[in-house]
Structures are given as structure tokens and as C-alpha cells.
Amino acid sequence: MELSVTVAELRYALDTFFFLISGALVMWMAAGFAMLEAGLVRSKNTTEILTKNFVLYAIACTMYLIVGYNIMYVDNAEAGWLPSFGTLIGSQAEGADHSLESDFFFQVVFVATSMSVVSGAVAERMKLWAFLIFSVVLTAFIYPMEGYWTWGGGFLSEAGFSDFAGSGIVHMAGAAAALAGVILLGARKGKYGKNGEVYPIPGSNMPLATLGTFILWFGWFGFNGGSQLMVSDFENATAVGQIFLNTNAAAAAGAIAALLVCKTTWGKADLTMVLNGALAGLVAITADPLSPSPLYSVAIGVVAGAIVVFSIIALDKLKIDDPVGAISVHGVCGFFGLMVVPLSNSGASFGSQLLGAVVIFGWVFAASLVVWAILKATMGIRVSEEEELEGMDMHDCGVEAYPEFSVIK
């Protein structure tokens, strides 16, 4: 009996399946963001934040299919600033080791991840429809442009910039867009006093926030592991195993570091900081989860877990109100992750890493600031003080997340 399937065809099938499963894990991170953010906002804003997270995923998938993927990858001029526009998705390259459709699916869930960073930072006071319109622009144009400059073979790629799975390209980019929005949006009512006092606004559901973080941690194995792109030979399969190990080690170390910083600083274990410590470790290791040793990955996680606590405190002192700590987790720790790559990867340099970080942050922040400013001048981006006090759920959605807890009038 002759085998009708060649070794090449089997490898093609295995790598395609690996891409699809990895993409599905990253897609599951959308649920993680939704649960984390729903737990860290007040109960009166829960339905609205869930709506944002659900719809932004749908928008990202649609806009990246119609426009974004073509800007980022299809028929691009080699090593240029501006991409050309090819046909929808493009055609399967001869000799490819996985299907083009699986590649698109894996890429589109990264776009949604970047946009998810924004939703938590602007929570509890931004108009739903202004946010959704911004989602269209970021996923169709802003993100694909910097994605073309890096993963798409553009000038940052030619300059030696290295970002394995997206500490800068995905996470820091999302934080840059979030920061631009937060600056124009302003802080929530009652967050800061006239003399610089910071008044904590506790989230409504710590079990939900914890579940969301576990889901994100789980999905990150697809985020980083899938970025190896292949698993069908000895070298790549071994690399994926190393990536999983390092990713997990950095997350665990980040959580422990944040816990210890909280204990030594305030004498208590702040769960929200511990959760963000784990995410900080994940974001930092994402820039290169393959090259470091397991112990070095632990060190990266420890530093990131400590950095994120102090960053959240610093942003509060600057009156930059970020209800979930997204700017610190994804922005500050994303930058840290990029800058430590040369310490374990001889193919990267501090100069090229800094150039890439500055270009990515500068482009996304400036472009986002323009879009947010246009939205603010036209339809407005912030709800009224009365609507903010009543809660976004009733104003934007008309459905309460926890109706049993409402005061009976």
C-alpha cells in the first residue's frame, strides 16, 4: 500500500493546524480582556465594557480583512515607508509551509489584542460610539502601518528591529493609542483631589478580574508559541517548548514580584497589582520568549512585575487615569521588553530596538491623538457628568449587568 501523502504535505497540514490552534488561543484572550476589565470597573459600567470588548473584536476582524492585512503584508514595496495595496488577502505562495488563510487568522487576532488594550484605559467615561469609530481607524490603518514597517518587511525590519511576538508592535502600540485617548478624555469624576490626592475607585468583581487574567495567561501560549510559525521539525518543535517555558516563567515571576513590592510598600497584598504583575511579565517576555534562558526569563518577569507597580503609581501622580493599569502593563513593560532583547539575542542592538520603539510609539500616539481630537471636536468622546454618575450601562446599553443589585425606586 503506497502512501498518498508526502512528508511535505504532512508538514504543511501540521503547521497550518498549529497556526489555527495558536490563533484560537489568542482569540480566547479577547474573553480574558473582557473579564479582566469587567472586574476592574464599577458594576454600573460592566455591560458597556463588555459591549466594547465584544464589538471591537468583530470590528478588528472585519477591518483587517477588508483593509488592514493588505496594508501590512500583501504586495508591499520592499523595505519602504508606504505599502502598496494588493488584492484581498492575496494568493498562496508556492512552497508555503502553511495556508495563507491560517496566517490571516493568526494575524487578525493580534490586531484585536492591540485594540483591547485601549478599552480598559478609557473605561467608565468614554462614549461607546466614539470608541467604536476609533476602533475602525486603528485596526484598518494605524496598526497595519506600523505592522508593515516591522513584520511586513518595511524599514524597521531592515534596520534590525526585533520584536518576536509583539511587545512593541501589539502591546506598546495599544498603550500609545490608549494614552492619547486618556489625555484628551480626562480622569473619572472623583478620582483626583484638588491638592493632588488620589482616591482609589475599586473594581466591582475581583473573581472576574482574576479569571480574566488566567484566561490571558493561557491564551499567551498561543500568542508567543504560535509566533514561532512552525512546529513540524525538531528545531522548531524544541523552540516552541522553550517559548512556552519562558512565557510561563516570566508571568509567574511577575506576579510574585508585584506581590512582594506591594507587601514591602503598603504591608498588604493588592490583588489587582498581582494580576497586573503577571501580565507585565507576559508583555515583557513577548519581545523575545525564545532566546533567554528560563532563569533569565524569571529575571525579566521580576523586573517587569516591579516596574508595573511603580508605573501605575506614577501615572496616578500625573493624574493620568487608567482604571485597569493598561498603559503601564502594555506600554511601559512593552518598552522594557523591547530594550532587554539584545541582552540575550546577539542579532539585536540597543540602537535598533530604541529606534523601533520610538517610531512605533510616536506613530501610534500621534495618529491616535489626531483621530481622538477629530472625534472630540465633532461628536464628543466623553459622556456628560450626569451620565457618568448614572453609569454607562443604562446610558449606552440600556441593560444592567447586575439588575438584582439596583436600588428599587
Side-chain angles (χ1 to χ4, degrees):
M1 181 178 178
E2 294 184 4
L3 291 175
S4 59
V5 180
T6 66
V7 173
E9 289 173 327
L10 286 173
R11 293 185 62 183
Y12 177 92
L14 179 58
D15 288 332
T16 295
F17 182 71
F18 174 64
F19 242 18
L20 293 172
I21 292 299
S22 297
L25 284 172
V26 180
M27 183 271 176
W28 187 231
M29 290 173 69
F33 277 111
M35 296 300 98
L36 173 64
E37 293 171 17
L40 293 181
V41 300
R42 288 168 287 185
S43 57
K44 63 183 179 180
N45 298 310
T46 305
T47 300
E48 196 262 356
I49 200 70
L50 293 174
T51 303
K52 282 181 178 177
N53 276 274
F54 199 89
V55 178
L56 79 81
Y57 179 79
I59 289 173
C61 291
T62 304
M63 298 312 300
Y64 196 65
L65 175 67
I66 296 173
V67 182
Y69 188 80
N70 298 286
I71 292 176
M72 195 162 166
Y73 288 112
V74 178
D75 192 30
N76 289 326
E78 185 177 353
W81 284 80
L82 295 174
S84 54
F85 292 83
T87 56
L88 182 64
I89 296 185
S91 57
Q92 182 73 48
E94 186 177 351
D97 48 35
H98 57 264
S99 77
L100 181 64
E101 290 77 12
S102 67
D103 180 77
F104 169 81
F105 177 68
F106 186 69
Q107 294 294 334
V108 76
V109 289
F110 277 57
V111 186
T113 298
S114 188
M115 189 62 220
S116 293
V117 174
V118 183
S119 60
V122 300
E124 300 203 294
R125 72 271 200 207
M126 174 169 277
K127 290 182 177 180
L128 174 62
W129 286 97
F131 174 83
L132 296 181
I133 291 172
F134 178 80
S135 300
V136 171
V137 181
L138 184 134
T139 58
F141 179 68
I142 297 175
Y143 173 93
M145 282 299 301
E146 55 98 6
Y148 161 62
W149 295 337
T150 51
W151 288 337
F155 77 102
L156 288 178
S157 175
E158 290 294 310
F161 176 69
S162 178
D163 189 3
F164 187 89
S167 286
I169 297 167
V170 178
H171 295 282
M172 190 178 67
L179 179 61
V182 168
I183 289 173
L184 291 182
L185 190 61
R188 291 169 291 175
K189 297 296 181 182
K191 176 64 178 177
Y192 303 116
K194 294 181 179 179
N195 298 317
E197 305 94 340
V198 178
Y199 300 106
I201 301 178
S204 62
N205 195 322
M206 290 302 101
L208 206 58
T210 304
L211 174 62
T213 305
F214 269 125
I215 292 173
L216 287 168
W217 191 333
F218 176 69
W220 228 287
F221 295 119
F223 201 98
N224 287 356
S227 294
Q228 182 63 22
L229 309 183
M230 293 180 66
V231 74
S232 61
D233 58 35
F234 177 85
E235 181 180 355
N236 284 290
T238 303
V240 171
Q242 181 75 24
I243 290 167
F244 271 52
L245 191 162
N246 289 345
T247 298
N248 194 62
I256 294 169
L259 173 67
L260 294 177
V261 169
C262 290
K263 178 62 177 177
T264 55
T265 304
W266 301 293
K268 298 183 183 297
D270 186 328
L271 175 61
T272 62
M273 290 294 191
V274 174
L275 298 179
N276 277 331
L279 295 176
L282 288 164
V283 169
I285 197 65
T286 293
D288 190 349
L290 177 58
S291 299
S293 67
L295 288 179
Y296 183 46
S297 299
V298 168
I300 291 173
V302 166
V303 177
I307 285 175
V308 76
V309 176
F310 296 115
S311 176
I312 290 172
I313 296 170
L315 289 182
D316 264 341
K317 289 182 178 179
L318 295 172
K319 296 188 176 181
I320 297 176
D321 184 15
D322 179 358
V324 304
I327 297 170
S328 296
V329 170
H330 302 274
V332 175
C333 294
F335 175 75
F336 166 71
L338 289 177
M339 296 312 298
V340 297
V341 169
L343 297 178
S344 60
N345 186 342
S346 59
S349 69
F350 291 108
S352 61
Q353 294 302 98
L354 182 60
L355 172 65
V358 169
V359 170
I360 291 170
F361 183 87
W363 158 252
V364 178
F365 179 81
S368 299
L369 195 66
V370 170
V371 177
W372 288 127
I374 293 172
L375 290 171
K376 184 176 182 177
T378 52
M379 64 185 300
I381 60 175
R382 182 162 185 150
V383 298
S384 67
E385 187 171 345
E386 180 183 352
E387 291 164 346
E388 184 177 345
L389 181 63
E390 180 182 350
M392 307 287 286
D393 287 1
M394 294 309 298
H395 169 61
D396 278 335
C397 303
V399 177
E400 293 180 285
Y402 308 106
E404 295 88 350
F405 300 150
S406 299
V407 177
I408 301 175
K409 297 179 181 180

